[in-house]
Amino acid sequence: MIRTVSVGLGDRAYDVVIGTGLIDRAGEHIAPLLKRKRTAIVTDSIVGEHHGERLSVSLERAGVAVDIIVLPPGEQTKSFAGLADLSDRLLALGLERGDMIVAFGGGVIGDLAGFAASIYKRGIDFIQVPTTLLAQVDSSVGGKTAIDTPRGKNLIGAFHQPRLVLADLDVLATLPGREMACGYAEVIKYGLLGDFTFFEWLESNVHAVLERDTEALVRAVGRSVEMKAQIVAEDEKEAGRRALLNLGHTFGHAIEAEMGFGDALKHGEAVGVGMAQAFRFSARQGLCSSQDAVRAEAAIKAAGLPTRMSDVRPEPFLAEALIAHCGQDKKAEGGTLTFVLARGIGEAFVAKDVGRAALRAFLVEDGAGG
Ligand code: NAD
Ligand code: GLY
């Protein structure tokens, strides 16, 4: 079962191939894109252990020479130190400009290897082989690459589009349930931001997706990628419409920052709370109905994701601290607050100049300490 979505970026257009058995056929897909039959697979130790051998064998069967660089799993790898280590290892392999990096892992590996590809010898091609649901529906598509610094996440990076994305649904079999739920937050985001029919389908099929039913995954990943591809083709560098993909991310990021970006609260979980808050804030502002906010929250909760700040920790977050994080968001312009809000389910829009007083009142009403 294969579905292919094209990201229409002119001479940098590429396909996102979604389906089963793709790792075993990766060589057939990747070999025709190579100038010299030489690749470096970048992965983390968990993904490498589960699936690395199959990917190498598949490339070698297609006559492609493979080196594997295995990095430690976890967000801390997406750092200046991680980038220096990876760049040095690529140089030691003698990778040339015409060769290819294959990013094989979740968003951490995709973002880091993609950024390394954007600057290695002033830029070489790379392919994304995403192995988490989050990476398949979001981070592997669209060309955003980055590392974190102690001052914040994804602050140093580049737009560098991959040449191909191979999203093999079979690899999700080894993904922990908590990571599946985190990826689902990004899936339902597409329904909430722009496709009511998809949202309704997800309401009825949440368990099939989380239980990794192939047909349900093809539809969920396929529709998510289709929507992302369309938005990226219209607004590659996020001058406008691409910001819609950040639905729930400004609220979520503020809570994540307060929790210290650790395992206690994962990004997808923070986005779950953030999307529910974006709908509750929209309802409070009279932009959408309170029934829509209740329905959005129920659909997020059905995946086992948190939707309230009190689901994250019992002691209240401080409203002022949350507002300060919102002001540092990459969407913020000239000190004003920008949020993705909604006029209904499937009708998100970018709201510039959100008033601090209205935001503060909402956050206190929503459970933050005043
Ligand atoms: P991740 O890459 O850390 O993967 C999560 C965990 O799952 C890791 O421990 C990893 O080793 C493990 N794993 C991955 N695939 C597996 C598999 N098939 N089986 C078993 N274990 C597996 O996390 P993530 O959620 O994929 O990505 C999060 C990152 O993505 C963040 O750094 C975030 O900033 C970034 N991101 C980027 C974009 C973008 O547009 N570039 C979008 C969203 C998120
Ligand atoms: N994940 C948000 C974006 O790609 O723009």
Side-chain angles (χ1 to χ4, degrees):
M1 212 182 277
I2 301 285
R3 183 161 166 183
T4 301
V5 177
S6 258
V7 185
L9 287 168
D11 59 359
R12 291 172 300 118
Y14 55 94
D15 283 345
V16 183
V17 186
I18 300 150
T20 53
L22 288 172
I23 301 284
D24 295 323
R25 290 201 304 280
E28 291 163 40
H29 287 276
I30 293 173
L33 301 176
L34 302 177
K35 294 191 186 89
R36 190 164 76 128
K37 298 262 177 285
R38 175 92 203 270
T39 57
I41 297 175
V42 180
T43 191
D44 72 30
S45 54
I46 297 175
V47 175
E49 178 138 326
H50 284 301
H51 308 287
E53 177 80 12
R54 280 200 301 130
L55 182 58
S56 308
V57 167
S58 167
L59 282 161
E60 282 161 0
R61 248 197 338 255
V64 177
V66 180
D67 282 291
I68 292 205
I69 297 177
V70 181
L71 303 173
E75 190 71 31
Q76 67 283 359
T77 294
K78 233 182 85 174
S79 60
F80 271 115
L83 179 68
D85 175 43
L86 173 57
S87 306
D88 188 57
R89 290 165 79 173
L90 292 168
L91 288 166
L93 291 176
L95 213 67
E96 295 177 3
R97 252 202 205 147
D99 298 335
M100 186 79 80
I101 290 177
V102 179
F104 185 42
V108 162
I109 291 296
D111 279 13
L112 173 69
F115 185 42
S118 79
I119 54 175
Y120 183 82
K121 299 192 174 171
R122 301 204 174 84
I124 75 170
D125 285 346
F126 83 117
I127 285 170
Q128 291 268 21
V129 185
T131 63
T132 61
L133 181 58
L134 178 141
Q136 295 188 346
V137 300
D138 192 356
S139 62
S140 66
V141 180
K144 279 189 183 176
T145 73
I147 55 170
D148 308 329
T149 89
R151 291 189 187 278
K153 278 191 65 178
N154 299 324
L155 292 180
I156 304 293
F159 285 97
H160 188 53
Q161 299 291 343
R163 293 284 313 282
L164 173 72
V165 181
L166 289 180
D168 188 339
L169 304 172
D170 292 337
V171 298
L172 300 178
T174 55
L175 192 68
R178 190 174 175 198
E179 299 291 349
M180 279 299 288
C182 285
Y184 186 85
E186 304 287 354
V187 172
I188 201 167
K189 176 187 80 178
Y190 294 102
L192 288 168
L193 79 85
D195 187 345
F196 180 67
T197 308
F198 183 45
F199 171 84
E200 277 189 311
W201 180 83
L202 287 169
E203 282 185 312
S204 313
N205 290 276
V206 51
H207 298 298
V209 174
L210 293 176
E211 281 156 21
R212 299 152 231 229
D213 171 83
T214 301
E215 224 170 286
L217 277 175
V218 170
R219 177 147 180 195
V221 177
R223 181 59 188 141
S224 300
V225 169
E226 212 171 65
M227 289 184 71
K228 178 146 190 187
Q230 196 184 354
I231 290 173
V232 167
E234 283 170 26
D235 178 22
E236 183 186 4
K237 301 272 170 78
E238 201 168 310
R241 204 169 139 65
R242 185 164 179 171
L244 291 178
L245 296 172
N246 291 323
L247 173 66
H249 284 57
T250 307
F251 282 117
H253 189 268
I255 300 170
E256 238 183 321
E258 283 297 284
M259 292 294 287
F261 296 107
D263 238 25
L265 181 72
K266 288 188 170 285
H267 175 70
E269 294 163 346
V271 169
V273 179
M275 290 188 298
Q277 284 187 306
F279 271 84
R280 288 197 292 273
F281 187 40
S282 300
R284 191 181 194 278
Q285 299 288 92
L287 294 164
C288 77
S289 70
S290 52
Q291 290 97 306
D292 276 346
V294 169
R295 189 168 172 186
E297 178 174 357
I300 298 164
K301 214 176 183 148
L305 289 161
T307 54
R308 301 259 164 190
M309 291 186 284
S310 56
D311 296 339
V312 173
R313 70 172 197 204
E315 72 269 29
F317 292 88
L318 286 181
E320 281 315 320
L322 296 174
I323 294 168
H325 291 301
C326 292
Q328 279 159 13
D329 187 83
K330 285 199 281 309
K331 290 188 295 304
E333 283 173 22
T336 66
L337 298 171
T338 300
F339 281 84
V340 180
L341 299 179
R343 296 195 177 87
I345 292 175
E347 295 174 59
F349 68 101
V350 179
K352 297 206 171 203
D353 221 355
V354 168
R356 274 165 204 264
L359 177 62
R360 191 173 197 290
F362 163 72
L363 286 170
V364 170
E365 193 178 283
D366 210 49

